[in-house]
Amino acid sequence: MSTRVVINGSRGRMGQALLSCVAADPAVSLAASTDVGDDLQAVLGGCDAVIDFTHATATAGIADLCAAAGKALVIGTTGHDDEACARIAACAKTIPVVFAPNFSVGVNTLFWLTRKAAEILGPDFDLEVVEMHHRLKKDAPSGTARRLAEILAEVRDLDYTKDVMHGREGMVGERTPREIGMHAIRGGDVVGDHTVVFANIGERVELTHKASSRDTFAKGALRAACWATGRQPGLYDMQDVLGLK
Ligand code: NAD
């Protein structure tokens, strides 16, 4: 039997990609599509999982509704503050939640490679993350860039809040070994580019992923919805779905 999904944020760029991918995927069926002004709670009874690609301020309330209804939740939305993340984590005690800044298989491979490269190259390499997205993106840096910097911080025993340097302007002084540089570029219709730079004296390694279609995120989110349905409550990410842990 197919997994019945609600697409929340259905009028958005990702919502539209999800609707077309649902139509092409026999493993899933559309229970409902909702956006601003629709009653999400009213359609939860007829679904197995909700897929949310909306806005950071909306997700915690959506998670509360899913927890009350006992429905699996896939969160693609990015840019949440600590309070929203804590509310989502609380809901994950009663329902399965897949919360991932990026659902593409390629980017999840980039996460894995970034960890390996940081471990192998060691503390002599300077770390910088560069991301580029379309001109309409609202949050910065991207959730994916943040996750890349978090992975680098974990390996190098750094603190994301204290050690990430967002852009540089004026007399900022020489680069310190503890810095993780973070740079967000915006323009045109770029779906999502991410590069992690490991730079040392005499050599440099760059790991790059470029997404050219939103379908890659949509297909990953649908795969996550099927995976999460019927699973034990918990806070999962795409690495769990892909078995990369
Ligand atoms: P978008 O602005 O095109 O679409 C967002 C949609 O959500 C809009 O139709 C809007 O009306 C709707 N919305 C806003 N608040 C809502 C609410 N409270 N209830 C229901 N609907 C609501 O944005 P987008 O490009 O589709 O991106 C959406 C989110 O997904 C962003 O946070 C983006 O960063 C993220 N994103 C994540 C991934 C991933 O793989 N995790 C990939 C692409 C985008």
Side-chain angles (χ1 to χ4, degrees):
M1 211 176 94
S2 65
T3 302
R4 300 164 303 163
V5 295
V6 170
I7 306 299
N8 194 40
S10 57
R11 289 200 292 269
R13 284 175 291 269
M14 275 307 302
Q16 292 294 303
L18 277 153
L19 289 178
S20 70
C21 288
V22 168
D25 185 348
V28 288
S29 59
L30 186 66
S33 57
T34 49
D35 205 285
V36 169
D38 298 325
D39 186 353
L40 176 62
Q41 193 171 15
V43 299
L44 288 180
C47 80
D48 301 305
V50 173
I51 302 179
D52 178 65
F53 280 82
T54 55
H55 190 271
T57 53
T59 311
I62 291 155
D64 288 340
L65 291 178
C66 289
K71 303 295 178 180
L73 174 61
V74 173
I75 301 171
T77 309
T78 61
H80 304 91
D81 61 19
D82 291 346
E83 192 192 331
C85 289
R87 268 177 72 190
I88 292 164
C91 291
K93 292 193 187 331
T94 55
I95 53 166
V97 177
V98 183
F99 188 12
N102 198 305
F103 282 96
S104 97
V105 175
V107 160
N108 282 277
T109 306
L110 176 66
F111 289 155
W112 189 89
L113 290 169
T114 296
R115 183 178 296 281
K116 278 286 154 215
E119 285 169 358
I120 293 166
L121 295 171
D124 289 344
F125 281 75
D126 298 327
L127 307 171
E128 301 273 318
V129 178
V130 186
E131 59 104 329
M132 179 163 189
H133 284 82
H134 53 89
R135 63 168 70 142
L136 300 172
K137 183 163 175 64
K138 296 177 186 73
D139 56 315
S142 71
T144 303
R146 183 188 166 106
R147 183 66 200 125
L148 287 165
E150 285 171 354
I151 291 168
L152 295 171
E154 281 163 29
V155 175
R156 291 275 283 265
D157 206 17
L158 301 171
D159 182 331
Y160 180 89
T161 325
K162 287 193 199 130
D163 297 321
V164 171
M165 167 78 89
H166 293 275
R168 293 187 180 86
E169 189 195 22
M171 287 297 289
V172 292
E174 290 181 8
R175 193 187 195 291
T176 71
R178 288 188 68 85
E179 269 171 56
I180 301 175
M182 175 73 89
H183 312 278
I185 304 172
R186 294 289 173 268
D189 61 355
V190 175
V191 172
D193 295 356
H194 292 89
T195 295
V196 184
V197 179
F198 301 82
N200 199 355
I201 307 300
E203 63 175 337
R204 177 166 96 240
V205 177
E206 295 185 0
L207 300 177
T208 295
H209 176 272
K210 296 187 180 191
S212 50
S213 163
R214 288 185 178 82
D215 286 5
T216 184
F217 310 127
K219 286 176 186 162
L222 293 176
R223 184 167 168 174
C226 295
W227 182 89
T229 298
R231 198 160 288 270
Q232 287 297 309
L235 190 57
Y236 304 102
D237 62 20
M238 199 56 188
Q239 309 270 301
D240 294 304
V241 176
L242 296 173
L244 288 174
K245 282 188 172 163

